[in-house]
Amino acid sequence: MAIKTTQFLNMGPQHPSTHGVFRMMLELDGERVVKCQPHLGYLHRGLEKLAEMRTYPQIISLTDRLHYANAFQNELTYCLAVESLLGIEVPKRAQYIRVMLAEMSRMQNHMIFFGALGMDLGALTPFFYSFKDRETILDFFEEIAGARLTFNYLRIGGLKEDLPEGILERIYAFTDQVPKIVDEYEELLSGNEIFLARMKGIGILSKELAINLGITGPILRSTGVAYDIRKVEPYSSYEDFTFSIPVGTCGDNFDRYKIRMKELRESNSIVRQAIERMPEGEICAKVPKVIKIDGEGYFRTETSVGEQGVYIIGKGEKSPYRIKFRSPAFVNLQMLQYVLPGGLVADVIATFSTVDICMGEVDR
Amino acid sequence: MLSLGSQFLVALGMLIGILIILLASMWLERKALAHFQFRLGPMRTGYHGLLQPIADAMKMVVKEMSVPEGVDVILYKTAPFIVFIPAFMVMAVIPFTATIKAADLNMGIFYVMAVLSISTIGYMMAGWSSHNKYSLLGCMRSIGQFVSYELPMGLSVLAVVMMAGTLNLNSIAQAQSCNWNIFRWYIFKQPLAFIIFFIALNAEICRVPFDLPEAESELVAGFHVEYSGMRFALLLMAEYVGLFTLTSICTTLFLGGWYGPPVLPGLVWFFLKTFSLIFILFWTRATLPRVRADQLMSLGWKVLMPAALINVVITGLLIMLKVY
């Protein structure tokens, strides 16, 4: 009789570092991972089905619940998809405000990433540093949209209302601080010997595998592929802004971390540019009273996680016949079963943390 | 020799004393950590949350001590005591001042090292009997960690013992007696041994960056994941008792015990030094991420162990050459 030398460990859905209700079935040899099988679906709320029973403007509030730390970008993707199907031209001011909000959203998402990564590696303090600064951004969001996470602020054709008076100056003043803030973050972790030992050369994802799996966003860029939908297919006036795409070299945990820190700075510069060149004018285009779509179409944007897509099929009704959200984190999670085997339990947590998922988006 | 009654009184005094110290260091940790992280920490119970540890302790005491299905009941129930009692036993030989001490053992430091090793068995029992894979991984880690860090710790102590020429903690402290000349403290003569001892101490009490046995983000809570109520409180108390006893041993060995410039009484010096060391440990906790199990092992065996051995050799040579 062969003696089984491995044990099975069920990590999640209730586990402090699975960022929600993600579940990994690990096969361990001592502490070394032999096999990893991710399991999903614990936060499935049937958002796509719910959307079929709602009118097009009502769906916006559903998209808030996809990546709930990143709601502006989800709203933006959906609104752009509907607008492109209806052929609506969004006023320039609304486009700029959308870009500004999307980039601020990206900044706060990367701040969560930084804090959660530190937490997962056992350092408590980074979490409080980044959440303190994230709070400032959330305060701006609250002032603009009236909510901290689920905004429901974008509308098909533009925005719900114009920005509050004087907020642009205050956001601009905050963006002055951001490079210093990011420097502080990097001082906390980037140079730390233990941090480097935990991150460098761990969880290496090859370029070929990343492309074959359809991985997008910072994880793809960390493998050395300079692919960013904001550059490849600019939407919402992204072509007006100058920004660079940070690219990694070897696709390990440290690259994935470093890229997000660089993107934080880039997003900050985009926010500054948007405020500096903020045009005056309308904030919402002329939109039919009742929105009906006949036809189908796919639209994609670059969220902080990767390629967020919306596929809409309309049959001339008030609500879509079928709607599909392509969530980047769902696709990105595939890398785990290729990357984790051979590592230790501690590496599982570190690598998983650098994938930066939000279960709301994965399970929809 | 003290009578049985007075021995009992001394032990009781020690127990109450350690409980107060324990609560104080818990409060201090929460406050220190909070202020490192832009927080205030406990503020509601008592002045600046001073009563918070008492409230926590009360909560622990009244909670149900659940015994999960499938555990090895005898091992599961005895493990917390086997962890706690040795940690507390170390208190017996700590000389707070020349007169305030429970026992004056001739082989005090040897006793400390021996007793400390016992709690490893308790950790193993707790992890093994809990019938949980996380606690099993936690206890595997803790055994590996304790075994590999006790050796460099013992060797760094050996250097001090060679210089003092005694195993008696009281005499070791007296060998560092000073007024203003604090350079008589062994930390200045044995800096390497101090660093090794301090790192090993950090690993021995499982604090960040060496908190692998209970790594809450990986193993949920490690070996004590299934414990609740008073049994959990005992495990937690063992950790804080260990924190205090080991730092006070460190004070005695390297920082001259109760000796210091004669502006403060000896007892105050002792606690000042000990709590400074404890504060450094809190500071470390607020700063560093956790190391990985294999990195911990390689640090222990490949860095600390050879360094401690070299230190012993150099100390021996210096003593032979009558430099020390």
Side-chain angles (χ1 to χ4, degrees), chain A residues 101-280:
Chain A
L101 293 175
E103 292 307 318
M104 280 166 75
S105 200
R106 193 185 310 275
M107 277 157 69
Q108 62 91 18
N109 180 73
H110 287 347
M111 282 173 183
I112 300 180
F113 163 81
F114 173 80
L117 177 67
M119 200 80 147
D120 286 345
L121 293 177
L124 297 166
T125 312
F127 183 82
F128 291 96
Y129 272 69
S130 68
F131 269 60
K132 180 177 77 72
D133 302 322
R134 174 177 177 254
E135 206 62 22
T136 320
I137 299 183
L138 289 191
D139 284 346
F140 288 137
F141 285 169
E142 195 175 3
E143 212 173 323
I144 293 168
R148 286 156 53 85
L149 289 174
T150 50
F151 310 108
N152 201 9
Y153 178 66
L154 268 55
R155 289 286 181 273
I156 294 161
L159 307 166
K160 185 174 88 181
E161 59 202 11
D162 210 336
L163 296 174
E165 252 176 52
I167 194 157
L168 286 178
E169 288 74 38
R170 276 181 288 137
I171 296 175
Y172 199 75
F174 173 68
T175 55
D176 277 335
Q177 304 294 320
V178 170
K180 260 183 268 166
I181 288 170
V182 184
D183 286 343
E184 197 178 44
Y185 290 176
E186 299 228 36
E187 269 171 40
L188 269 177
L189 282 182
S190 297
N192 189 309
E193 280 292 325
I194 299 173
F195 180 74
L196 292 178
R198 290 292 303 274
M199 301 295 276
K200 281 219 160 142
I202 308 289
I204 296 175
L205 180 71
S206 72
K207 196 187 280 186
E208 291 72 30
L209 185 64
I211 292 170
N212 287 345
L213 292 177
I215 284 168
T216 47
I219 304 179
L220 178 67
R221 292 194 282 277
S222 76
T223 62
V225 185
Y227 178 79
D228 190 323
I229 298 165
R230 289 176 293 175
K231 286 270 190 203
V232 180
E233 281 177 16
Y235 53 88
S236 195
S237 298
Y238 263 109
E239 65 274 8
D240 295 359
F241 301 98
T242 46
F243 61 99
S244 65
I245 309 172
V247 178
T249 47
C250 58
D252 62 357
N253 281 351
F254 188 71
D255 269 2
R256 290 197 275 275
Y257 158 79
K258 201 75 190 166
I259 286 224
R260 282 174 177 117
M261 289 298 108
K262 283 180 188 157
E263 274 188 11
L264 234 169
R265 294 176 201 269
E266 289 299 326
S267 293
N268 188 48
S269 98
I270 297 175
V271 172
R272 289 175 72 90
Q273 289 172 42
I275 295 172
E276 280 159 11
R277 303 186 211 149
M278 185 64 74
E280 292 298 320

Side-chain angles (χ1 to χ4, degrees), chain B residues 27-285:
Chain B
W27 179 81
L28 198 67
E29 166 152 46
R30 295 184 65 159
K31 280 309 228 191
L33 214 55
H35 285 282
F36 278 122
Q37 298 167 342
F38 311 110
R39 295 185 288 128
L40 290 174
M43 288 295 282
R44 299 295 174 93
T45 36
Y47 177 74
H48 281 250
L50 265 175
L51 298 175
Q52 187 65 41
I54 296 168
D56 287 348
M58 288 302 286
K59 187 197 77 176
M60 292 284 187
V61 172
V62 298
K63 281 251 167 144
E64 184 193 354
M65 290 190 279
S66 66
V67 181
E69 249 176 68
V71 302
D72 190 329
V73 178
I74 297 170
L75 290 186
Y76 179 81
K77 285 186 175 169
T78 42
F81 298 100
I82 298 191
V83 173
F84 178 73
I85 291 170
F88 181 58
M89 274 163 75
V90 176
M91 285 288 288
V93 291
I94 296 170
F96 294 98
T97 67
T99 47
I100 304 175
K101 56 187 179 280
D104 195 359
L105 276 188
N106 267 336
M107 35 189 261
I109 189 67
F110 184 75
Y111 165 86
V112 171
M113 301 301 292
V115 166
L116 275 180
S117 311
I118 299 175
S119 53
T120 314
I121 300 168
Y123 285 119
M124 186 177 174
M125 281 163 64
W128 179 260
S129 66
S130 288
H131 192 63
N132 182 311
K133 283 165 187 165
Y134 289 116
S135 56
L136 182 65
L137 284 173
C139 90
M140 267 156 52
R141 284 179 175 189
S142 62
I143 293 161
Q145 181 170 333
F146 292 144
V147 169
S148 45
Y149 277 78
E150 251 157 36
L151 287 169
M153 193 183 213
L155 285 172
S156 61
V157 170
L158 189 60
V160 171
V161 170
M162 281 159 72
M163 289 185 61
T166 170
L167 285 167
N168 188 325
L169 281 170
N170 215 13
S171 317
I172 292 176
Q174 270 160 6
Q176 305 169 62
S177 65
C178 63
N179 275 328
W180 286 100
N181 182 19
I182 58 166
F183 290 99
R184 281 175 61 85
W185 295 354
Y186 283 149
I187 185 175
F188 298 108
K189 297 180 181 170
Q190 290 285 354
L192 186 60
F194 173 74
I195 291 165
I196 293 167
F197 186 86
F198 199 67
I199 293 173
L201 170 159
N202 204 343
E204 197 75 12
I205 51 176
C206 307
R207 297 187 69 82
V208 175
F210 305 113
D211 63 337
L212 298 145
E214 49 204 272
E216 89 280 347
S217 58
E218 294 155 24
L219 303 181
V220 191
F223 65 89
H224 59 62
V225 68
E226 293 288 2
Y227 281 92
S228 63
M230 200 56 214
R231 293 199 193 99
F232 172 71
L234 273 181
L235 290 171
L236 195 73
M237 272 156 67
E239 199 178 299
Y240 279 91
V241 172
L243 176 72
F244 176 74
T245 49
L246 278 167
T247 42
S248 35
I249 297 284
C250 190
T251 306
T252 311
L253 290 178
F254 294 100
L255 298 177
W258 64 89
Y259 288 106
V263 284
L264 291 170
L267 197 65
V268 175
W269 269 120
F270 184 86
F271 278 101
L272 203 63
K273 290 171 191 171
T274 308
F275 273 93
S276 311
L277 289 176
I278 289 177
F279 182 76
I280 293 172
L281 288 173
F282 293 161
W283 195 350
T284 322
R285 177 171 174 197

